[in-house]
């Protein structure tokens, strides 16, 4: 239950192709409104930065106003504005940051520029309450595959490992294209895999036992493409569900093993999984199975909070306010390569 003494924070997310606006009071979600330009990118087989930026410009005002209506609030009720300042697509970030600055200046309220990845960690609090201190967070999305040690999401996030090439979500998109499945690939591979066998094809597991907490999915993506090409060249049929399931199993096998390696190495008993790929049904199931065996408590937000959204930005903004963090200056930049260790700009 939210206290009326807690500030109302409006969060703006424009790091990629979703214009998301959320409103929270403390860790209570009041509104989470999203306009996606995904359909505009589908024909290109991937996100086009210029198209995304234009879509954010067109959607910003209606989405903000829609969030206020959903929450039953007016602009005068808002106490602070939080915005994704990075990482992400430079042009897309600029739209959100400029809008947030305008709202903060016009309303005379504090501005908080926040890290997109830290926001994916913070959002779980809307569903499962305050984060354990510390916890291990695994963030998997189209642009990121990261393992983090999180002593305090508002102040201290430590990178333990990340992708050295393709992120998990990027690999899903590229393999989907090879299999003739629509963009974005993640949901379509997940759906197709339910009719196939994850052990049908022995695809490689990159960096599985290399002693690091880094990830690599480029070799796996290439292995799938070469397997499909070889079958086509020899005139053999391709059972898409088996390929999808075997590829998916390789990805989630590596992700969950590395995550539990991190938990063991740092003696942490709480694992949080976030980001768009966290909506994958097989990842959620395997993570739960392996966490149960290892005595690790698993936290995964509901799918609607895993993908990019304004609620996660508002939640991290609320945490910053509660921690007494100094607001951002009105001249903060948008930083497309903002490191995860920089939670707040």
């Amino acid at each position: 239950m939210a206290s009326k003494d807690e500030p109302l924070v409006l969060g703006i997310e424009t790091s990629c192709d979703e214009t998301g606006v959320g409103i929270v009071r403390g860790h209570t979600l009041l509104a989470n409104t999203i306009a996606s330009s995904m359909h505009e990118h589908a024909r290109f087989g991937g996100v086009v930065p210029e198209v995304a930026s234009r879509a954010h410009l067109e959607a910003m005002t209606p989405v903000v106003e829609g969030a206020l209506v959903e929450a039953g609030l007016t602009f005068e009720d808002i106490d602070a504005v939080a915005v994704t300042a990075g990482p992400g697509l430079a042009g897309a970030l600029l739209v959100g940051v400029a809008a947030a600055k305008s709202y903060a200046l016009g309303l005379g309220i504090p501005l908080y520029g926040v890290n997109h990845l830290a926001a994916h960690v913070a959002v779980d609090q809307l569903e499962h309450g305050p984060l354990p201190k510390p916890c291990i967070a695994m963030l998997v999305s189209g642009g990121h595959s990261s393992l983090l040690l999180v002593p305090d999401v508002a102040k201290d996030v430590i990178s333990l490992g990340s992708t050295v090439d393709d992120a998990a979500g990027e690999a899903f998109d590229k393999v989907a294209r090879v299999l003739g499945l629509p963009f974005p690939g993640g949901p379509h591979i997940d759906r197709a895999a339910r009719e196939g066998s994850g052990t049908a094809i022995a695809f490689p597991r990159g960096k599985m036992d290399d002693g690091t907490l880094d990830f690599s999915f480029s070799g796996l993506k290439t292995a799938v493409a070469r397997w499909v090409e070889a079958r086509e060249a020899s005139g053999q049929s391709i059972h898409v569900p088996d390929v999808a399931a075997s590829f998916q199993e390789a990805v989630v096998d590596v992700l969950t093993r590395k995550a539990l390696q991190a938990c063991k190495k740092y003696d942490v008993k709480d694992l949080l999984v976030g980001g768009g790929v966290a909506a994958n049904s097989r990842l959620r199931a395997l993570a739960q199975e392996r966490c149960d065996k290892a005595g690790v408590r698993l936290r995964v937000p509901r799918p609607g909070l895993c993908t990019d959204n304004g609620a996660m930005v508002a939640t991290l903004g609320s945490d910053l306010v509660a921690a007494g963090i100094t607001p951002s200056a009105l001249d903060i930049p948008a930083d497309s390569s903002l490191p995860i260790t920089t939670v707040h700009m």
Side-chain angles (χ1 to χ4, degrees):
M1 180 70 69
S3 167
K4 290 193 178 297
D5 293 332
E6 294 177 303
L8 281 163
V9 180
L10 182 146
I12 297 174
E13 155 61 25
T14 62
S15 66
C16 191
D17 61 330
E18 273 112 7
T19 308
V21 175
I23 301 175
V24 303
R25 188 190 289 278
H27 291 157
T28 299
L29 180 62
L30 303 180
N32 190 26
T33 306
I34 297 173
S36 176
S37 60
M38 185 64 69
H39 62 285
E40 298 181 44
H41 305 282
R43 65 192 178 100
F44 299 106
V47 175
V48 180
E50 293 82 359
V51 173
S53 299
R54 175 59 62 181
H56 289 310
L57 281 170
E58 295 173 351
M60 183 60 64
T61 298
V63 175
V64 170
E65 292 176 348
L68 289 169
V69 170
E70 182 181 335
L73 301 170
T74 67
F75 279 114
E76 288 69 29
D77 296 313
I78 302 301
D79 296 308
V81 178
V83 62
T84 295
L89 301 175
L93 290 168
L94 281 168
V95 176
V97 170
K101 290 177 179 179
S102 299
Y103 287 123
L105 181 62
L107 296 170
I109 57 178
L111 169 71
Y112 292 87
V114 307
N115 189 297
H116 174 86
L117 301 180
H120 270 303
V121 177
V123 74
D124 183 70
Q125 298 173 103
L126 296 180
E127 192 162 6
H128 299 123
L131 292 173
K133 296 182 179 182
C135 69
I136 295 291
M138 180 172 68
L139 303 184
V140 279
S141 66
H144 304 278
S145 296
S146 304
L147 275 169
L148 312 169
L149 175 63
V150 186
D152 184 336
V153 72
K155 300 177 181 179
D156 191 13
V157 177
I158 302 164
S159 177
L160 303 179
S162 60
T163 184
V164 299
D165 42 52
D166 288 357
E170 185 180 0
F172 270 91
D173 288 337
K174 290 177 177 178
V175 168
R177 190 182 310 169
V178 168
L179 296 177
L181 298 174
F183 176 85
H188 296 284
I189 286 181
D190 192 359
R191 196 172 301 117
R194 293 170 194 170
E195 305 299 322
S197 168
T199 59
I201 308 162
F203 287 132
R205 270 80 164 148
K207 298 185 76 66
M208 175 73 95
D209 300 305
D210 68 341
T212 76
L213 293 174
D214 292 327
F215 302 100
S216 171
F217 296 108
S218 180
L220 170 60
K221 168 207 68 182
T222 301
V224 176
R226 295 292 175 265
W227 188 93
V228 170
E229 288 171 3
R231 298 281 290 192
E232 290 176 337
S234 63
Q236 300 178 71
S237 63
I238 296 169
H239 189 236
V240 170
D242 279 350
V243 181
S246 298
F247 159 75
Q248 179 175 267
E249 194 67 20
V251 173
V252 302
D253 185 17
V254 173
L255 289 173
T256 54
R257 285 184 186 276
K258 291 267 186 173
L260 286 168
Q261 285 172 14
C263 290
K264 182 177 181 180
K265 180 176 181 179
Y266 292 90
D267 193 25
V268 174
K269 294 298 183 181
D270 293 274
L271 171 65
L272 185 153
V273 182
V277 180
N280 179 272
S281 63
R282 180 57 183 153
L283 175 58
R284 296 167 83 94
L286 188 58
Q288 188 66 68
E289 176 186 325
R290 288 181 169 172
C291 281
D292 288 345
K293 288 181 179 178
V296 171
R297 292 176 290 270
L298 177 67
R299 295 167 60 121
V300 189
R302 60 184 179 270
L305 294 178
C306 290
T307 52
D308 293 347
N309 60 83
M312 68 186 201
V313 178
T315 304
L316 182 52
S318 180
D319 288 338
L320 293 170
V321 173
I325 303 297
T326 302
S328 304
L330 285 173
D331 63 352
I332 59 167
D335 186 347
S336 61
S337 57
L338 186 68
I340 182 55
T341 49
T342 303
V343 174
H344 163 248
M345 295 184 70

